[in-house]
Each structure stands twice: as C-alpha cells, then as structure tokens.
Amino acid sequence: MNQFEILFKLFLSLLLGGLLGFERTHAGRAAGLRTYAIVCSASALIMMTNLYIFSSLNASDPVRLGAQVISGIGFLGAGSILVTGRHKHQIKGLTTAAALWASGAIGLACGCGYYFAAIVTTLLIFFSMHFLKYIEQRLFIKERTIVFYMELDLLTSMTLVTEFFHHRSIIIEDIRISRPFLDEAGTAITYVLNLPQNLKRADLIQELAKNEHVIYIEETT
C-alpha cells in the first residue's frame, strides 16, 4: 500500500465510524462520536498492519488480527450496557454495544480495501439506529402495550389494582410478582397491560400514582 491508500483507509474508517458515533451522541449515549471513530480507525490500522506483515514477511495469517478485533472489542460493548432504573431492573445500551462492535467490523473492511461493503454497511446501520426506532415506537403505540413495575403496600392490594384495570377495560396480559425493594412495600408486581384506544398512558400513570395502595410505580420495557 502506498501512503495515499493508507491515508484514505484511515480517514474513511474515521468518517464511517464517526457517522455511527454521531447518532449515538445525538441520542445521549456515553459511547459516542469519539469512541466510534477511534474504534473504527484503529480496527482499520490493525487490519492494514496484519496485511503488511503478511505481504512483507509472509509470516502471519492475513485474518488473525482481524479476528482478535472482533472478539476483543467485547469489553467496550460490555461497558456500554447498563442496568438502570431506580431498582436496577432495566437494561439499556444494547444498541450502542452492537453498533460499537459493528464499527470495528467496518474498520476492518476499510483496512482490507472492501470500501463499498463498508460504506453500505455504515449507511444501513445508521438507518437502523436512527430511523427504525421511530417505526418501533409507532408499532409500540399502535399495539397499546405498556409494562408497569409497581410496589404495593400489601399483597392483598393486588386484587384492588387488578379490579382497577378491569374497570377501565385494560387487558392484563401478564403478571409477575417479585420481592419489593422498599421497606414500606409489601409486594412488587410487574403488569403487562394492553390499553384501550381512548385511554392515554399519562392519564393512567397519574391515576395509579394517586392510588393509596401504590407506593412506587415505574414504566419499564
């Protein structure tokens, strides 16, 4: 490879990785523009180094270092997956971790000169992260499905809350009982509900928050 090709590969990988990182920065994620750009360009450098060793010394498997990148980048992805929520029962960051892993693969493609595939893959992943979430949200709203994590004062209050849902024509699809985190709560329940078309989520949450038997409520996924 001449110097122009080296510069082109590194700048292209920096640009493509930065594009994915820009979307994550816009979404407020910790792994953003700089992280993706660094991972992608470094992956390109590793792939070029592997190809250089192979062509110059004929002493290396041309895909060995690339394979290590794919498996080794997992520690960054794991660091971006967070368990959140007041009581640590929500998981976020899976999309960021997946895209970060993909940026490493894109960098490898740039490093070995597979430019067309790298560019198309970047555009497809960017489309998936930026636009498919709106399609998911539209489908989610259309289905009118909502998940509530609630902590009640007593286990017997579950019957009253269930009657509350039935009275408002809310379909209970699933109920899971668990141990509460708050000392003043008697039980913790996760409800999977299907809402009628005339009922707004905000109104339902407000009504439940005013219920004397509900100590804590949180919408989850």
Side-chain angles (χ1 to χ4, degrees), residues 29-32 34-43 46 68-82 92-105:
R29 299 296 184 261
R34 292 177 298 173
T35 304
Y36 279 76
I38 291 171
V39 168
C40 198
S41 57
S43 298
I46 292 172
Q68 298 305 312
V69 171
I70 295 299
S71 60
I73 202 173
F75 80 95
L76 283 176
S80 65
I81 300 174
L82 305 175
K92 294 184 177 180
L94 292 175
T95 301
T96 299
L100 191 58
W101 178 83
S103 71

Side-chain angles (χ1 to χ4, degrees), residues 12-13 15-21 23 36 40 70 98-110 112-132:
L12 180 62
S13 60
L15 177 64
L16 297 180
L19 179 62
L20 299 180
E23 195 282 332
Y36 279 76
C40 198
I70 295 299
L100 191 58
W101 178 83
S103 71
I106 292 170
L108 294 177
C110 292
C112 68
Y114 203 13
Y115 306 128
F116 180 76
I119 294 173
V120 172
T121 301
T122 300
L123 295 177
L124 290 175
I125 294 175
F126 182 83
F127 173 81
S128 300
M129 292 193 301
H130 191 69
F131 295 105
L132 288 187

Side-chain angles (χ1 to χ4, degrees), residues 84-87 89-90 147-150 216-220:
T84 63
R86 181 176 177 179
H87 299 310
H89 61 277
Q90 296 185 54
V147 182
F148 280 140
Y149 171 83
M150 305 170 61
Y216 176 78
I217 181 172
E218 180 179 0
E219 182 179 356
T220 66

Side-chain angles (χ1 to χ4, degrees), residues 138-209:
R138 294 292 294 271
L139 292 175
F140 187 71
I141 294 173
K142 185 177 180 180
E143 293 176 355
R144 306 289 294 172
T145 301
I146 190 170
V147 182
F148 280 140
Y149 171 83
M150 305 170 61
E151 296 199 1
L152 309 178
D153 55 353
L154 299 170
L155 179 60
T156 54
S157 299
M158 174 179 144
T159 303
L160 300 175
V161 174
T162 302
E163 291 178 353
F164 169 86
F165 291 141
H166 287 314
H167 181 69
R168 284 157 179 77
S169 301
I170 299 172
I171 299 174
I172 301 176
E173 297 184 350
D174 189 23
I175 299 177
R176 297 187 294 271
I177 302 176
S178 58
R179 186 175 180 179
F181 289 89
L182 300 178
D183 294 334
E184 61 269 29
T187 186
I189 303 175
T190 301
Y191 284 97
V192 180
L193 308 172
N194 195 289
L195 307 185
Q197 293 294 330
N198 59 349
L199 181 60
K200 295 181 179 179
R201 294 166 179 257
D203 294 339
L204 177 59
I205 294 174
Q206 189 174 12
E207 285 188 60
L208 289 171

